[in-house]
Amino acid sequence: MTIVSEQRVRYAETDQMGVVYHANYLVWFEIGRVEFMRSLGFDYRQMEVEDGCILPVVEVTCRYKAPARYDDKILIEAWPVLLRGSLLKFAYRVTRASNMREPQQVLAEGETAHLVCDASMQKCLMPERYAAPIRSAIRVADRNGDGEDRDEIDGQE
């Protein structure tokens, strides 16, 4: 299961060359991940407050394919690819939405790895009420191939 979030590139996200500064893609990955969790019926705040469960990023990769520019409409796709023990991995794809001048284009792809921890930063297992729907979403992605089963949010059709 893949969730698609839509954003507009803000002027503050661009650098002197007029393109999006590379670190902003990591912020967009977080937007996609948070919206994915929300689509499952829970959020990070709930995990932290109710269960003392946090998901620090322990590894990130990002492959830049084309630049994003101010006011581009971007689509952020996020889906889980692995939940094994205390390790949770997400994959992402950021694309520029098609417009009158250009077709849709992949801008970046990446992954984040998270370690499930308790409030004292000790490794632990993810509570089952979160783990079960994430595992189900991974199975849907495996069955359909990433990007084939897209659920859109944020008012998208």
Side-chain angles (χ1 to χ4, degrees):
M1 180 171 88
T2 301
I3 295 301
V4 180
S5 301
E6 183 180 297
Q7 299 282 315
R8 283 271 181 193
V9 174
R10 297 171 300 214
Y11 186 77
E13 294 171 315
T14 62
D15 62 17
Q16 186 176 4
M17 296 177 288
V19 300
V20 169
Y21 180 67
H22 70 278
N24 287 310
Y25 288 84
L26 305 183
V27 174
W28 295 341
F29 288 0
E30 180 185 6
I31 289 169
R33 186 172 63 250
V34 166
E35 292 306 322
F36 174 84
M37 300 289 250
R38 190 170 283 126
S39 77
L40 296 179
F42 53 86
D43 58 39
Y44 278 116
R45 182 184 317 228
Q46 177 184 355
M47 292 175 71
E48 292 173 356
V49 172
E50 295 178 14
D51 296 289
C53 179
I54 58 175
L55 301 173
V57 175
V58 295
E59 183 178 354
V60 63
T61 61
C62 186
R63 292 167 299 285
Y64 303 97
K65 299 183 178 276
R69 292 187 166 76
Y70 171 66
D71 205 38
D72 281 349
K73 184 190 298 184
I74 59 165
L75 307 174
I76 306 160
E77 299 174 70
W79 63 96
V81 293
L82 176 73
L83 177 57
R84 183 175 58 225
S86 298
L87 182 64
L88 173 61
K89 288 187 176 183
F90 281 89
Y92 309 90
R93 183 178 301 116
V94 178
T95 58
R96 178 184 302 109
S98 60
N99 58 45
M100 300 289 271
R101 299 179 316 272
E102 302 173 306
Q104 184 169 314
Q105 182 179 19
V106 176
L107 303 175
E109 295 177 322
E111 284 192 355
T112 55
H114 306 262
L115 193 60
V116 182
C117 294
D118 62 20
S120 62
M121 295 295 287
Q122 296 301 307
K123 183 171 73 167
C124 65
L125 295 177
M126 179 173 279
E128 189 59 24
R129 70 180 181 148
Y130 307 118
I134 291 171
R135 279 194 299 268
S136 292
I138 292 169
R139 281 193 292 276
V140 168
D142 287 346
R143 208 169 33 245
N144 294 316
D146 67 54
E148 291 300 315
D149 179 36
R150 293 190 174 107
D151 296 326
E152 298 200 11
I153 60 170
D154 296 340
Q156 298 301 300
E157 301 175 290

